Amino acid sequence: MKRAVVAVMTAATLAGCGGKREPVSAATASSVANDWRRVATMSDRDRLRTWRTVWLDSLGRARASGAAREIDAQGALFNPDFGLRDPMPPAGDYRCRVFKLGAKVTGGRDYVAYPAYSCRVSGDGEVRQFEKTAGSQRPAGRIFPHRPSRAIFLGTLAIGDEARWLAYGRDSARDLAGIVDRVGENRWRLVLPQPAFDSTLEIIELVPAR
């Protein structure tokens, strides 16, 4: 996980100084590293700008596929306009369920629900680190403050038996951008619009491990 965090912080520093090797104060470097706008790539900015349109389209396709009852059973999890204050999940171990909505390719499934995998949130400052520690697709990255009821995620994806994550911004097919909301007393979601693989929207539910 440390490799992923360092990679994103490096991208943040470069974004903040336009790629030039200019000295910056510790305060300025910290401000840059904590501002997702100065870290995100242009393609990820586009993903974040169009998140709601992608969400509604993907959700409509999932419902039309026959999954309406399963979707409704999840309550606020699939509601794009619901979010409680304090969206940052506290540090700890979590169970993460992945839902993929809207197939990327013709003939694919428009709704897929996976069993819970283990994941972890670490850090107690303004920015937290997230890592899905099991499964064939494992996102990891940083959760940035954004609004009182919403946070922003930027990270990368490890696949299969890969032991490390690529640096953020190095491969657009592995970069991830999304939003983080709190949707219950101890329930959060990480929503990834337009991931490179499988679906047009991915929703990861986080609940504390018992």
Side-chain angles (χ1 to χ4, degrees):
M1 179 57 194
K2 291 182 179 179
R3 294 179 182 272
V5 174
V6 170
V8 176
M9 291 183 68
T10 301
T13 304
L14 291 175
C17 63
K20 299 178 182 179
R21 297 182 178 273
E22 298 176 355
V24 295
S25 68
T28 299
S30 176
S31 176
V32 170
N34 291 344
D35 185 353
W36 69 267
R37 298 170 186 82
R38 303 179 74 171
V39 177
T41 64
M42 291 303 296
S43 59
D44 281 349
R45 288 170 180 260
D46 289 340
R47 285 174 174 168
L48 293 170
R49 273 193 290 266
T50 60
W51 69 266
R52 195 172 190 278
T53 299
V54 172
W55 192 327
L56 292 176
D57 177 71
S58 303
L59 184 60
R61 292 168 58 190
R63 285 185 173 279
S65 74
R69 181 177 298 180
E70 297 171 60
I71 290 170
D72 291 340
Q74 298 303 321
L77 186 66
F78 292 94
N79 183 348
D81 300 317
F82 186 86
L84 302 172
R85 293 184 66 87
D86 302 322
M88 286 285 195
D93 293 325
Y94 288 80
R95 292 186 298 109
C96 292
R97 288 194 301 164
V98 176
F99 301 85
K100 297 196 175 191
L101 282 60
K104 279 276 191 185
V105 298
T106 302
R109 297 171 62 187
D110 286 319
Y111 177 82
V112 182
Y114 293 89
Y117 291 95
S118 60
C119 57
R120 181 181 303 116
V121 175
S122 57
D124 57 5
E126 287 188 42
V127 177
R128 309 281 165 84
Q129 290 79 46
F130 169 83
E131 176 187 2
K132 184 169 176 281
T133 57
S136 59
Q137 296 182 12
R138 299 179 304 282
R142 304 179 80 199
I143 302 173
F144 296 81
H146 179 50
R147 295 176 181 170
S149 60
R150 175 154 290 167
I152 298 294
F153 172 83
L154 297 174
T156 59
L157 184 70
I159 299 176
D161 59 357
E162 294 174 349
R164 65 182 66 182
W165 289 263
L166 294 175
Y168 177 74
R170 181 177 177 182
D171 183 348
S172 60
R174 296 297 187 94
D175 288 345
L176 298 168
I179 58 180
V180 178
D181 302 310
R182 186 166 69 91
V183 294
E185 183 177 355
N186 287 294
R187 192 187 193 196
W188 290 261
R189 67 185 174 202
L190 166 57
V191 182
L192 302 170
Q194 294 292 0
F197 304 102
D198 302 330
S199 63
T200 56
L201 187 79
E202 185 169 314
I203 297 178
I204 303 176
E205 176 202 50
L206 288 78
V207 296
R210 303 300 182 188

